[in-house]
Amino acid sequence: MSAHLRPAWYKALERTTLFLAVLAGLSLLFMMMVIAVGVVLRFVFAYPILGSNEIIQLASVAVVMLALPYCTETRGHVRVDVLDEAIGRAGRFSGDILSRLLSGFVLSALVWRAWLKALDAFEYNDATNMLNLPIWPFYAMIAAGMALCVLVFAAQIVLLLAGRYEQ
Amino acid sequence: AELKFANYMAPTHPYVPGAFEPLAEKIAAETGGALTVRIYSGGELGAGPTDQYSRVVDGVAELAVGLPGYTASSFPMTLLSELPGVLTEADGTATLWEHIDVLQPEYRRVKLVSLWSSAQNLLYSRAKAVRKPEDVRGLKIRVPSRNAGLIVEAWGGSPVSMPVSDIYNALQTGVIDAAMIDGTATLAFKLGEVAQYLTIGMDTTISPFFIVMNRDAYAALPAEQQAAVDKVGREVSDLGNRVQLTEAQKGIDAFAALPGKEVIRLTPEEAAAFNALSAPVVDKVVAEASAAGVDARSVVDALKAK
Amino acid sequence: MSPIFVGTIGIVCMFLLMILRTPVAFAMLIVGFFGLWMLNGIWAAGAVLLTESYAAVSAYSLIVIPMFVLLGNVASAAGFSRGLYEAAFAWIGRFRGGLASASVIGCAAFSAVCGSSVATAVTIGKVALPEMRRRGYADGLSTGAIAAGGTLGFLIPPSTAFVIYAILTEESIGRLFMAGILPGLLMTALFIAAVLVVVSLNPAAGPRGEAVPFGRRIAVLGQAMPLVAVIVLSIGGIYIGAFTPVEASGIGAALVILLAVARRAISLAAFRQAVFDTVKTSAMLYMIVIGANVLNPFLAVTHIPTALGEGLATLGLGPYGSLAVIILTYIVLGMFLDGLAMLVVTIPIVFPVIVQNGFDPIWFGVVVVIVIEMSMITPPVGLNVFVVKGVAEDVPLTTIFRGILPFLLAMLTGLLLIILFPDIALLIPNTMFN
Ligand code: NA
Ligand code: NA
């Protein structure tokens, strides 16, 4: 989408997703470092870190959830483009609205459940097995990441209806 | 009504005919067919053992089989039973049910249907014959739980955590030198192909299994159907225990039958050397749990007294 | 409404959504969610959504996705991938389609360290696709070669698919791995043959390069060294037990970054872009995993997979008739379903039929894995194709699927050869273990 078409509020949304993607990148590098350090300690110094896989797994939650809004905003999701011409301009327009409405609805359901689960995990002190790391922040991260995706879908629907979203 | 039973194991797993199908049949029989159970095997309702408890809490399935050890933070008291010397293979399940009222508060988020103690975890060793604690020194050993890790540390080894599915490869290439897991692993994970020795006889951990039911789904049943679930669940606990012990023994026998492989059966004296080192682990875990507000000492004493 | 009817409607809706430009991940997610809502209620549907999302993003085995994507992106940005291809091109570029053949060989080499088809396609794709484009290769040929070559990840050991098959059928993992070697090499050769057929029919698809003098060919080998070193260290590290195949992905990424920094081959801006691209591609792939994992429980409660399996057992077609029906069913199901999920759900139903008909279970494992691989590149749902599309964003999916056709024919040929000559699969395991 060309820059002059985007209203200021959409640019703010873009900046937010970009900022979270920076954090996702840092989590990614952190995850790589934990793997490498763990291997070196275990193989070279025969000193394995018990539970390093838990750090790696939780880091991967952060990578995906922080990057998903950016991926959604920059239209990184793979779709089937075989019949784009065949369905015509009206078909493309209604399809773009419909798929964002439905996707947004399903992700909203996910946000709601992830939020409930975060509260539940907080209340019951759910933690990982080896390192006893609290789990609720990671459910909260799913709720937040998916909520931002819903916001992105909503914003794109508004732009589509205003005719300010280029395909 | 029909209850969905989530089973992460393959439909061909001995647990299916040995415990899960009997559960379905018995519940149908007890309720005159008013309540039925449909088993979804092979992780059809969601793969892998780790998230089965969550699936029942959240309501993906009404029933699921799982291990409390995968969500250890929710079951500090139940998992005291896995500590070395607390339960015996032979009557562990009966002992657990004897003291079930003490454990019940941990199952606030679900309905506990069945609970059974399992087979002793054993030591599958890649190349080194383990007969005394000195043999373990410096070995990297995959452990199934934090408690098992403390035991390995007490013996002088280095505990490593990794998913069950990675053990075969890791033993083959030498990422780990040994793996602590029960005898079913010979057949279920083919560890007989990659381990040279299997050491048995010392006290290790005994990882319990459970079948849990969604709390709201249970509450919605009429009283007589609830009673049927309770009764059948207790019976299936014994069936589950029997399947696990039978399969573990089959695994030990299968390992012994492999050409060139050796099952090392420790003598009582040899085992005592290991057990002397791991005994303080019980006190350490009890102290930690007590600090976290669990009356761990009385639970351990009660389970030990049977 | 019967569950099977709801399931059928659901599958139809999924295709409608895809036609209406809904991303594949969301089409699966939407149908899975609403289908479960209809059959089990909204609470259970939301529960599946939640647990599958958390299970996918926190899965230890899936961390190879971001790590291998990072490896590939940094290698591209640092010019290492180009170095490898300069070398490959110097040696075989003067043949028609030489780089596409080199990509297939690259995939085969990488498969020897990596158990995942998707990761193989991503890594080699990141390296090879930009180079083939630069040299004027047709998009269909280059993307097809990578998507198909990536499937070797499952056939050449180590292989996630064989491990799952072994656990479901209680067969030996070691035997299955051994059984995959010759079919893997055969398939590599058939893919190269497919490249040669394509370029002989359409010479413009894979242009012939200039002949490079011998001295230059030796000199240019040095440019291939960084990536060759990473591959050798990764294979070597797994072989000597320094790390697991999953950890190898992180070690490989760290090594590539170290090399890039040490050789001052990458700018900070280029590195930042490589990391951005990595998290974006990873998020896209994880979303597909989530979508597939929400769709699968829905299909399970429609009882469609079970009904198909039971129907087959009652037909009474004789050994090769049953085998033909099983393979055809797998190919059709594989168009829509995730390969590994299909394996888990169907093997328990199909396996007894196979054993009763006297087929060798190890040999059938190889057959099934090849069919699973085909499912990863057949339209409309082909995970490897989506991955390649993620790397070559501006190439239409239609072009990729069209480019895959010759490789699909190569796979069918390979499958037929292995059915006619079971020894291709069984020679090595029978020699080694008996
Ligand atoms: Na492989
Ligand atoms: Na497909």
Side-chain angles (χ1 to χ4, degrees):
Chain A
M1 174 171 36
S2 49
H4 67 276
L5 277 171
R6 292 172 304 185
W9 56 267
Y10 193 85
K11 286 182 187 157
L13 191 60
E14 281 178 325
R15 275 197 302 275
T16 312
T17 59
L18 192 65
F19 173 71
L20 293 184
V22 174
L23 297 183
L26 292 175
S27 308
L28 177 81
L29 296 176
F30 169 74
M31 185 165 128
M32 181 187 76
M33 233 110 73
V34 174
I35 298 173
V37 170
V39 165
V40 170
L41 283 179
R42 188 184 63 220
F43 184 66
V44 182
F45 300 99
Y47 186 83
I49 316 172
L50 191 60
S52 60
N53 55 326
E54 291 175 354
I55 304 175
I56 294 165
Q57 285 168 278
L58 292 181
S60 86
V61 178
V63 171
V64 181
M65 281 307 137
L66 292 168
L68 198 60
Y70 173 69
C71 175
T72 306
E73 196 281 313
T74 54
R75 285 184 284 173
H77 295 293
V78 170
R79 53 181 196 79
V80 180
D81 49 11
V82 185
L83 294 168
D84 274 8
E85 290 305 315
I87 59 176
R89 203 182 141 76
R92 288 196 295 273
F93 180 77
S94 47
D96 286 345
I97 301 270
L98 179 75
S99 63
R100 283 179 176 82
L101 276 176
L102 290 174
S103 306
F105 178 83
V106 176
L107 291 194
S108 304
L110 176 54
V111 171
W112 166 56
R113 291 301 293 267
W115 179 245
L116 290 183
K117 184 74 178 181
L119 293 177
D120 192 55
F122 180 76
E123 184 190 336
Y124 287 91
N125 292 316
D126 285 346
T128 62
N129 289 337
M130 300 278 181
L131 298 177
N132 216 27
L133 302 168
I135 287 174
W136 69 265
F138 298 92
Y139 280 109
M141 223 181 277
I142 293 179
M146 291 294 184
L148 203 50
C149 288
V150 175
L151 217 55
V152 168
F153 283 134
Q156 290 176 345
I157 290 173
V158 171
L159 291 191
L160 274 165
L161 290 174
R164 296 178 76 175
Y165 197 76
E166 282 176 6
Q167 292 308 310
Chain B
E2 184 180 89
L3 305 175
K4 296 186 293 298
F5 182 110
N7 168 31
Y8 65 89
M9 300 174 230
T12 47
H13 195 285
Y15 263 128
V16 177
F20 307 154
E21 282 171 358
L23 174 102
E25 288 155 13
K26 283 164 182 277
I27 286 182
E30 287 285 332
T31 60
L35 188 62
T36 56
V37 176
R38 185 175 182 121
I39 302 166
Y40 292 86
S41 291
E44 270 193 307
L45 296 181
T50 45
D51 295 302
Q52 297 301 334
Y53 173 68
S54 266
R55 290 195 171 95
V56 168
V57 171
D58 295 330
V60 172
E62 285 80 32
L63 290 159
V65 59
L67 287 84
Y70 278 112
T71 40
S73 69
S74 297
F75 307 107
M77 286 196 287
T78 305
L79 290 173
L80 290 169
S81 77
E82 77 162 8
L83 291 169
V86 173
L87 292 184
T88 57
E89 275 191 357
D91 58 6
T93 303
T95 308
L96 282 173
W97 281 93
E98 194 61 42
H99 301 282
I100 202 72
D101 292 341
V102 183
L103 305 178
Q104 281 292 5
E106 291 187 337
Y107 299 87
R108 285 166 295 177
R109 284 194 272 182
V110 291
K111 157 73 188 167
L112 178 67
V113 175
S114 301
L115 177 68
W116 62 94
S117 91
S118 169
Q120 279 276 4
N121 286 313
L122 316 169
L123 201 63
Y124 287 82
S125 170
R126 173 175 189 258
K128 178 143 191 178
V130 174
R131 298 174 201 281
K132 49 188 187 301
E134 291 76 59
D135 297 332
V136 174
R137 192 148 300 150
L139 291 194
K140 285 168 274 189
I141 300 175
R142 183 268 173 183
V143 292
S145 67
R146 185 170 169 276
N147 289 338
L150 294 173
I151 294 172
V152 163
E153 270 175 358
W155 292 345
S158 305
V160 177
S161 48
M162 67 169 55
V164 170
S165 50
D166 283 359
I167 298 178
Y168 180 95
N169 249 318
L171 266 185
Q172 186 175 43
T173 59
V175 169
I176 52 174
D177 304 298
M180 196 191 267
I181 186 167
D182 77 19
T184 58
T186 310
L187 299 171
F189 303 113
K190 313 284 168 197
L191 296 194
E193 293 178 15
V194 288
Q196 189 61 33
Y197 301 98
L198 175 60
T199 302
I200 65 180
M202 65 289 196
D203 286 341
T204 58
T205 54
I206 301 185
S207 326
F209 280 73
F210 59 29
I211 294 172
V212 286
M213 182 168 178
N214 181 271
R215 191 176 53 189
D216 299 333
Y218 181 79
L221 297 179
E224 66 274 13
Q225 294 188 359
Q226 289 184 342
V229 169
D230 291 355
K231 175 166 178 275
V232 172
R234 176 66 191 86
E235 291 169 18
V236 168
S237 303
D238 292 329
L239 296 181
N241 178 247
R242 192 184 308 156
V243 170
Q244 190 73 19
L245 294 186
T246 311
E247 291 305 308
Q249 190 54 50
K250 272 193 207 162
I252 295 171
D253 296 342
F255 195 98
L258 289 170
K261 312 267 163 148
E262 186 185 349
V263 175
I264 300 170
R265 296 170 200 274
L266 300 180
T267 63
E269 296 75 42
E270 287 172 331
F274 284 92
N275 299 348
L277 291 172
S278 59
V281 168
V282 180
D283 297 323
K284 184 182 155 120
V285 174
V286 164
E288 278 177 10
S290 304
V294 176
D295 186 7
R297 176 50 63 192
S298 61
V299 174
V300 166
D301 289 346
L303 290 175
K304 273 188 171 174
K306 298 185 181 174
Chain C
M1 269 189 290
S2 80
I4 292 193
F5 181 72
V6 174
T8 315
I9 298 287
I11 291 172
V12 171
C13 286
M14 189 171 78
F15 290 117
L16 284 178
L17 283 172
M18 286 185 189
I19 291 169
L20 287 172
R21 296 156 53 94
T22 307
V24 176
F26 289 99
M28 293 191 284
L29 194 73
I30 291 165
V31 168
F33 177 75
F34 283 101
L36 283 164
W37 185 354
M38 283 193 72
L39 293 174
N40 292 343
I42 189 170
W43 186 257
V48 170
L49 207 54
L50 172 66
T51 47
E52 293 310 325
S53 301
Y54 184 75
V57 297
S58 67
Y60 182 71
S61 59
L62 291 183
I63 64 163
V64 296
I65 293 178
M67 287 298 124
F68 278 125
V69 175
L70 180 65
L71 191 166
N73 282 347
V74 175
S76 299
F80 295 161
S81 329
R82 173 176 291 208
L84 190 72
Y85 270 76
E86 297 285 352
F89 195 74
W91 285 85
I92 53 175
R94 61 209 154 98
F95 304 109
R96 275 202 204 120
L99 274 188
S101 303
S103 308
V104 170
I105 293 172
C107 284
F110 194 72
S111 300
V113 275
C114 174
S116 147
S117 288
V118 168
T120 304
V122 169
T123 313
I124 302 299
K126 277 278 173 202
V127 171
L129 286 173
E131 294 304 313
M132 285 195 271
R133 169 162 294 180
R134 222 164 51 83
R135 310 246 180 214
Y137 273 57
D139 287 335
L141 176 63
S142 55
T143 52
I146 297 291
T151 65
L152 294 169
F154 272 171
L155 196 53
I156 295 175
S159 156
T160 324
F162 277 136
V163 170
I164 292 176
Y165 180 85
I167 288 171
L168 291 172
T169 61
E170 309 210 338
E171 293 301 323
S172 152
I173 297 172
R175 265 175 183 263
L176 282 162
F177 277 8
M178 293 301 119
I181 295 177
L182 283 184
L185 295 176
L186 171 71
M187 213 55 93
T188 309
L190 287 170
F191 286 161
I192 292 174
V195 171
L196 293 176
V197 169
V198 170
V199 293
S200 67
L201 293 177
N202 175 16
R208 206 185 271 280
E210 284 167 31
V212 177
F214 187 74
R216 171 82 189 135
R217 271 188 261 160
I218 296 294
V220 93
L221 277 182
Q223 294 180 22
M225 281 325 288
L227 266 192
V228 171
V230 169
I231 292 177
V232 168
L233 284 173
S234 300
I235 298 182
I238 293 173
Y239 186 76
I240 65 167
F243 39 75
T244 64
V246 172
E247 290 167 336
S249 63
I251 297 291
L255 279 175
V256 164
I257 291 175
L258 277 181
L259 278 173
V261 172
R263 301 182 126 214
R264 296 174 193 279
I266 194 167
S267 68
L268 189 61
F271 180 69
R272 208 161 43 205
Q273 193 55 48
V275 172
F276 267 129
D277 290 346
T278 303
V279 296
K280 180 176 168 180
T281 306
S282 304
M284 180 270 284
L285 291 173
Y286 271 93
M287 203 60 224
I288 289 180
V289 174
I290 294 172
N293 287 0
V294 170
L295 182 67
N296 283 327
F298 164 59
L299 292 179
V301 296
T302 64
H303 310 313
I304 288 180
T306 324
L308 288 178
E310 283 165 358
L312 173 73
T314 55
L315 281 179
L317 295 168
Y320 284 93
S322 299
L323 184 70
V325 173
I326 288 172
I327 289 176
L328 282 176
T329 313
Y330 268 116
I331 291 175
V332 173
L333 280 180
M335 293 170 71
F336 315 116
L337 289 179
D338 168 59
L340 289 182
M342 184 167 78
L343 186 72
V344 174
V345 174
T346 56
I347 277 298
I349 306 159
V350 165
F351 188 68
V353 183
I354 287 296
V355 176
Q356 279 158 23
N357 279 307
F359 291 110
D360 185 291
I362 299 284
W363 165 84
F364 184 65
V366 174
V367 169
V368 162
V369 166
I370 293 175
V371 181
I372 296 282
E373 290 181 326
M374 291 172 68
S375 81
M376 306 193 73
I377 58 172
T378 50
V381 181
L383 209 48
N384 266 24
V385 173
F386 299 151
V387 164
V388 168
K389 164 82 182 168
V391 180
E393 282 177 39
D394 54 336
V395 180
L397 270 181
T398 332
T399 308
I400 307 181
F401 279 124
R402 207 176 291 142
I404 273 167
L405 198 62
F407 297 97
L408 212 50
L409 292 177
M411 285 178 112
L412 277 173
T413 312
L415 188 62
L416 202 64
L417 285 173
I418 289 165
I419 291 171
L420 291 176
F421 307 103
D423 267 349
I424 299 172
L426 295 176
L427 187 68
I428 295 186
N430 285 350
T431 317
M432 277 192 67
F433 289 93
N434 289 351

